Amino acid sequence: MAKSPTSAASRRPRYGLWLLAIIALGLGGAAWAFREPIQGYGSIGSAYAARVGCSCRFVAGRSLEDCAKDKLPGMEAVTLVDDPQAKSVTARFPLVAEATATYREGYGCVMEKWPE
């Protein structure tokens, strides 16, 4: 008995969905297994970027776009946002970490206290 072409074609999307589900589970499992190093590197990277960005912006007087050039290679995912009123720069690593450094006269840029 010959198989109809529609039955084989109807199975292909199911294989694709199973493959996507397996890939998603694999990525989720890897993220869970490496959550502590990812969070650690994210926290340190955001703190570094906030401190360097704040010094660049409020001590050196450069624009925030120009200060973004000072980030180390591999820190492309870290974004910088400045607050000229508070003289602070916040760096964010998406879904992982955030850190803020504030300029204080006589002290330079000081990191805000991290949540415990």
Side-chain angles (χ1 to χ4, degrees), residues 49-68 70 80-90 101-103 109:
R51 170 67 173 72
V52 169
C54 178
S55 295
C56 173
R57 178 76 176 96
F58 298 108
V59 176
R62 296 166 46 199
S63 71
L64 194 63
E65 292 78 25
D66 192 42
C67 294
D70 294 343
L80 299 175
V81 178
D82 67 337
D83 182 356
Q85 299 296 333
K87 290 189 175 184
S88 68
V89 172
T90 300
T102 304
Y103 175 75
C109 289

Side-chain angles (χ1 to χ4, degrees), residues 2-3 15 18 32 38 42 60 63 65 68 71 78 82 89 92 95 97 100-101 104 107 109 114-115:
K3 293 184 179 179
Y15 291 132
W18 276 107
W32 178 259
I38 291 170
S63 71
E65 292 78 25
K71 292 189 292 186
V78 177
D82 67 337
V89 172
R92 291 184 179 96
L95 303 173
T100 301
R104 293 188 183 155
Y107 294 98
C109 289
W114 286 358

Side-chain angles (χ1 to χ4, degrees), residues 3 9 12 17 29 32 43-44 46-47 49 54 61 68 73 83-84 87-88 91 94 96 105 110 115:
K3 293 184 179 179
R12 284 189 187 130
L17 289 175
W32 178 259
S43 296
I44 299 225
S46 345
C54 178
D83 182 356
K87 290 189 175 184
S88 68
V96 177
E105 190 67 39
V110 179

Side-chain angles (χ1 to χ4, degrees), residues 24-41:
L25 284 172
L27 289 174
W32 178 259
F34 294 105
R35 70 189 177 282
E36 289 181 21
I38 291 170
Q39 188 173 10
Y41 288 131

